[in-house]
Amino acid sequence: MADSQHQSIPTHPIAPRVKEHQKKPHVGPDILGYRDHHGKTFGEGSNEWWAPIVSPTDRPRDSTGIVRSRLFVLVASRMETSSGSPKVASTPHTTALTDGLIPTPIRFAFLPSYYPSVDQRFSFGDHGVGQCRQSQRPEPLYTIPPPLHSTTFCHEITNFNRPQSSTKPMNRAKAAKSPPLSFSANYGIKKGDTVSVYMPMTWHAVATFLACARIGAIHSVVFAGFSSESLRDRIKDCKSRVLITSDESRRGGKAIATKAIVDAALKECPEVEHVLVQRRTGNTVAWTEGRDKWWHEETLKVPNYCPPEVMSSEDPLFILYTSGSTGKPKGVVHTTAGYLLGAALTVKYVFDVHPEDKFACMADVGWITGHTYIVYGPLLNGVTTTVFESTPVYPTPSRYWQVVEKHQITHFYTAPTAIRLLRRLGEHHTQAHDLSTVRVLGSVGEPINPEAWDWYNEHVGKRQCAIVDTWWQTETGSIMITPFPGAIETKPGSATVPFFGIEPVILDPVSGEVLEGNSVEGILCIRNPWPSIARTVWKDNNRYLDTYMRPYPGFFYTGDGAARDEHGYIWIKGRVDDVINVSGHRLSTAEIESALILHRGVAETAVIGVSDDLTGQTVYAFVTLKPEFTYNPNDEGSLAKELILQVRKVIGPFAAPKKIIIVPDLPKTRSGKIMRRIMRKISAGEGDQLGDLSTLADPSVVDAIKAKVATSP
Ligand code: WT7
């Protein structure tokens, strides 16, 4: 039965380049124990791990044909849905060691759960680890050798001199005697304090993450495309006293006035006492004596060795702000052990990394993808990571492929938007470069359309690579649904199957009931907690519960719709809440609406996402004006520009609406609720399929909107 089901899956050839590598030793953390769906146990060592996965007939499926895999590394206990945060049991002590600015051994130890309601299935006592007691100081279970760590930096055009960092092995005994890092000592930052970071894509950003982790400071990285107002709100929310930034940044050939944005933000943040400034372009920037300090001067003053802070597994590692259904962004909190475990394991198994590999994730460090797959994941596995500054098309659409060729990249991870853009610009760019080192191609951030998938496979992968379409979120910390390279057959457009230990469920949107079996569609939720689940919203646990735990009690709510097809494969259908996904960037309609309403002329506004061939979705803003506001109706263009500027100023350039549509009125129900559905339909060119309009207070607005959309530039 299982066999015939398996046969009927339309398969893509298992990537030959990945296959060659599978027998070679892996790097990174060893799995402590693994039991597959049939209860068969596998011991330490990653080679054995492949056995059940690689053999197609053995692949675990449950009675309905759903593919399941389970990894027993951490012990997950119960998820408390209304009274508290989910509890994921992990190590009482995790020590992250990172030497100075470049990381050296990172050691973890994971213990079985000490929570009472441990499910037997999650025990890994078979391998001796279960004998550890909470009170014992655990022996590190694995150590990542220091020489493997390195970072590749791809700077934009101007070849920036890479500062020398000491690669000499440290005399630890001697080093331990030196005074603690003065960054921490002078700035008074201690374990548990927050440090805000607003930096471009240079190695300094990676060093900043690791330096914070080293001293137990909680970093809050703000994507450098956010405006000063957004930065200000995020600094204020987590009350940082220290901010790390740069003089300027470069993007697509333009200089960006990073420090000036910071200065504007800090006008309203008197609590920030120290600003550490990395010199990126060297252009003159405004300076606040006493507060601002140059990175290159300050780092000369500190000793080479800084003793690591000992952290508990549940101590926060970082905060990352993300948008949701409401106007105010949430500070999602990730922890030391759980998050890092998720980062390490997913890089290891989703990307099948081996020694000497060179990992290139093209995201920005300011988003979760950069946190997990530029910084922590690859470095935890001891593989080289790449910091790419620039855009895929600057100075030419060959930029990515030049990087792949020059740095012999083995893993390339990007968003469908970039793939669609490069596909449009022609194959000759990929043909001009040697891409033969690449084995695994990753896609993340939005659903990938089959045309883009095929192009990626054909022109970048040359049909030799595995493509992993990875679904996850800021809140999940690491990849949740994904194929395993060379082991799970792929279907272009499907994120395929859950990662080990992840239990996705599809719920009926109305009843909230679990839709069992295959060929179902509904709301995507997750049944049990996993190591890297976000633990809370910074200083607002109730909001965390409201957002993720209460919509469908008993489950973690993702905000995505999904289908499970006849083979048990999962297809992500996009957001079901008021979140828009533009180029893999998550935008909240409520946030954009709040930005627009601040304009003196705006009375009301409704923001919607409209599908776009290139960026996945794009932002349309419908606006009504205050009666007393006067403007030239023959020049709506300049008012639209003003409003776009308003959004750029309040949120950041990446959130700018593509269209501003000024309308006499918004479609509303008699009770005053804005009917976004009508604007969505009209904008999608489906104005003739509006359905039931009987609840509309004033049906004549529909024609006015249709006319405006039709003529809007
Ligand atoms: C949302 C999360 C962590 C990834 C970067 C964005 C969408 C993410 C996929 C995928 C379809 C995807 C979802 C999700 N998404 N990956 N492979 N296929 N959709 O992180 O900003 O937290 O956004 O991105 O809608 O909910 P994020």
Side-chain angles (χ1 to χ4, degrees):
M1 178 64 192
D3 254 9
S4 66
Q5 265 182 350
H6 169 73
Q7 299 295 328
S8 64
I9 295 180
T11 61
H12 265 264
I14 294 284
R17 275 188 218 149
V18 171
K19 278 286 180 197
E20 273 167 38
H21 270 76
Q22 276 178 351
K23 298 280 175 289
K24 298 184 185 168
H26 284 77
V27 291
D30 277 334
I31 291 184
L32 308 174
Y34 159 65
R35 203 174 292 154
D36 76 6
H37 197 61
H38 306 295
K40 202 172 163 200
T41 309
F42 297 86
E44 280 190 58
S46 45
N47 287 337
E48 283 163 280
W49 175 83
W50 283 104
I53 300 295
V54 170
S55 154
T57 43
D58 256 13
R59 200 172 51 236
R61 278 162 195 275
D62 68 12
S63 53
T64 60
I66 298 171
V67 181
R68 288 193 196 278
S69 317
R70 247 190 206 140
L71 174 73
F72 299 86
V73 172
L74 262 199
V75 182
S77 67
R78 72 212 133 105
M79 176 183 272
E80 290 176 19
T81 52
S82 52
S83 54
S85 298
K87 292 199 170 74
V88 177
S90 44
T91 352
H93 296 286
T94 300
T95 311
L97 303 174
T98 55
D99 253 335
L101 299 178
I102 300 292
T104 46
I106 299 183
R107 305 148 106 210
F108 293 110
F110 296 105
L111 288 182
S113 172
Y114 43 86
Y115 289 105
S117 64
V118 177
D119 179 335
Q120 251 324 100
R121 293 173 307 157
F122 284 94
S123 150
F124 48 66
D126 307 356
H127 303 285
V129 188
Q131 291 156 10
C132 294
R133 293 274 175 306
Q134 191 190 349
S135 55
Q136 285 176 340
R137 174 135 185 102
E139 280 301 304
L141 297 175
Y142 56 83
T143 304
I144 297 167
L148 285 175
H149 290 284
S150 65
T151 316
T152 302
F153 307 103
C154 305
H155 278 285
E156 201 178 74
I157 300 310
T158 45
N159 214 345
F160 210 60
N161 276 340
R162 200 172 136 185
Q164 294 296 307
S165 57
S166 164
T167 45
K168 275 189 223 138
M170 215 75 77
N171 179 339
R172 282 186 180 278
K174 193 173 147 202
K177 285 191 198 117
S178 48
L181 188 71
S182 73
F183 165 69
S184 130
N186 289 349
Y187 297 180
I189 293 293
K190 51 187 193 316
K191 174 175 168 177
D193 290 347
T194 63
V195 171
S196 287
V197 179
Y198 187 72
M199 288 183 95
M201 293 288 293
T202 67
W203 67 266
H204 303 77
V206 179
T208 299
F209 280 68
L210 300 173
C212 288
R214 175 91 176 176
I215 63 172
I218 304 167
H219 57 72
S220 165
V221 180
V222 179
F223 169 57
F226 275 113
S227 68
S228 60
E229 294 182 20
S230 292
L231 174 62
R232 173 201 64 198
D233 294 346
R234 286 159 175 75
I235 295 170
K236 280 195 143 349
D237 188 74
C238 69
K239 300 196 168 60
S240 301
R241 286 182 293 112
V242 171
L243 177 93
I244 306 181
T245 187
S246 69
D247 53 357
E248 292 185 319
S249 356
R250 296 184 67 85
R251 195 180 149 77
K254 288 184 217 129
I256 294 161
T258 312
K259 176 68 165 48
I261 297 170
V262 164
D263 288 339
L266 293 190
K267 272 198 191 118
E268 292 168 66
C269 302
E271 58 276 30
V272 174
E273 297 158 20
H274 307 278
V275 177
L276 192 62
V277 187
Q278 174 228 337
R279 186 179 268 167
R280 168 66 186 90
T281 62
N283 289 334
T284 315
V285 290
W287 207 252
T288 304
E289 281 309 325
R291 185 195 71 182
D292 300 348
K293 281 133 200 165
W294 284 113
W295 170 300
H296 58 270
E297 289 171 4
E298 294 295 294
T299 48
L300 287 179
K301 299 181 197 161
V302 301
N304 274 342
Y305 181 79
C306 161
E309 187 63 56
V310 172
M311 306 297 285
S312 282
S313 57
E314 290 298 302
D315 284 337
L317 176 66
F318 66 83
I319 304 169
L320 184 58
Y321 287 86
T322 190
S323 299
S325 310
T326 59
K328 194 171 172 272
K330 294 183 286 280
V332 165
V333 177
H334 279 291
T335 58
T336 307
Y339 168 82
L340 291 175
L341 181 73
L345 288 181
T346 49
V347 164
K348 180 168 176 167
Y349 294 110
V350 175
F351 292 95
D352 184 36
V353 291
H354 288 71
E356 312 303 324
D357 277 350
K358 301 220 172 94
F359 200 93
C361 167
M362 309 318 264
D364 192 285
V365 288
W367 305 115
I368 190 70
T369 312
H371 280 59
T372 312
Y373 298 104
I374 294 174
V375 184
Y376 289 114
L379 294 178
L380 283 164
N381 280 283
V383 301
T384 299
T385 191
T386 306
V387 182
F388 178 82
E389 180 187 48
S390 194
T391 76
V393 291
Y394 181 81
T396 75
S398 289
R399 189 67 174 138
Y400 276 176
W401 321 127
Q402 288 166 356
V403 168
V404 168
E405 181 174 332
K406 179 170 172 198
H407 297 285
Q408 312 252 293
I409 299 299
T410 52
H411 294 77
F412 186 81
Y413 194 25
T414 192
T417 297
I419 301 166
R420 288 192 292 262
L421 177 65
L422 295 170
R423 173 176 177 261
R424 196 178 269 195
L425 297 170
E427 279 94 76
H428 54 285
H429 296 289
T430 50
Q431 281 157 7
H433 296 277
D434 176 11
L435 309 180
S436 63
T437 49
V438 180
R439 296 201 316 273
V440 182
L441 295 169
S443 170
V444 62
E446 38 174 337
I448 181 166
N449 49 314
E451 300 77 24
W453 197 103
D454 286 337
W455 186 85
Y456 206 24
N457 186 32
E458 187 82 35
H459 296 286
V460 184
K462 319 281 180 196
R463 294 173 180 261
Q464 299 276 309
C465 299
I467 297 190
V468 290
D469 175 1
T470 59
W471 176 87
W472 58 296
Q473 308 178 296
T474 304
E475 296 84 348
T476 71
S478 58
I479 294 168
M480 302 286 282
I481 303 178
T482 175
F484 293 91
I488 295 284
E489 301 90 332
T490 44
K491 301 188 194 186
S494 168
T496 73
V497 300
F499 189 73
F500 308 122
I502 309 299
E503 294 183 64
V505 288
I506 295 180
L507 303 186
D508 179 284
V510 180
S511 68
E513 265 162 44
V514 177
L515 302 173
E516 303 282 0
N518 287 337
S519 305
V520 291
E521 183 167 344
I523 307 290
L524 180 66
C525 287
I526 316 288
R527 197 197 297 271
N528 273 317
W530 57 98
S532 63
I533 184 176
R535 299 298 197 270
T536 187
V537 169
W538 185 250
K539 303 278 185 241
D540 198 352
N541 196 53
N542 203 35
R543 192 153 172 228
Y544 173 85
L545 299 174
D546 274 350
T547 315
Y548 306 111
M549 301 300 168
R550 289 183 183 141
Y552 292 97
F555 302 100
F556 170 88
Y557 171 66
T558 65
D560 276 320
R564 189 164 46 228
D565 73 9
E566 69 275 26
H567 299 117
Y569 275 34
I570 292 171
W571 298 72
I572 306 297
K573 300 284 177 183
R575 301 290 304 197
V576 294
D577 53 7
D578 295 324
V579 169
I580 316 184
N581 189 328
V582 180
S583 302
H585 293 160
R586 179 162 157 184
L587 302 173
S588 142
T589 52
E591 226 176 310
I592 302 175
E593 287 166 4
S594 329
L596 285 167
I597 212 89
L598 294 174
H599 186 276
R600 66 202 156 88
V602 174
E604 264 188 317
T605 155
V607 167
I608 58 163
V610 176
S611 71
D612 183 278
D613 283 351
L614 205 58
T615 56
Q617 279 187 305
T618 180
V619 178
Y620 280 21
F622 290 81
V623 173
T624 65
L625 299 171
K626 290 180 185 158
E628 68 274 18
F629 178 72
T630 49
Y631 75 106
N632 177 2
N634 297 322
D635 187 18
E636 271 183 7
S638 8
L639 178 60
K641 266 193 204 131
E642 230 179 86
L643 293 173
I644 289 171
L645 215 73
Q646 173 79 21
V647 177
R648 294 174 67 101
K649 182 171 149 292
V650 178
I651 305 176
F654 64 96
K658 185 164 176 195
K659 274 193 191 185
I660 300 274
I661 301 155
I662 296 162
V663 289
D665 206 354
L666 295 174
K668 286 189 200 143
T669 59
R670 281 187 210 101
S671 56
K673 198 170 167 320
I674 296 175
M675 295 173 78
R676 287 189 171 70
R677 173 178 67 87
I678 292 182
M679 290 172 280
R680 275 194 211 108
K681 281 273 182 198
I682 296 175
S683 307
E686 297 167 2
D688 51 343
Q689 303 163 33
L690 293 181
D692 182 15
L693 295 179
S694 60
T695 50
L696 211 57
D698 173 11
S700 72
V701 300
V702 171
D703 288 333
I705 291 176
K706 278 187 186 166
K708 263 333 248 283
V709 170
T711 54
S712 117

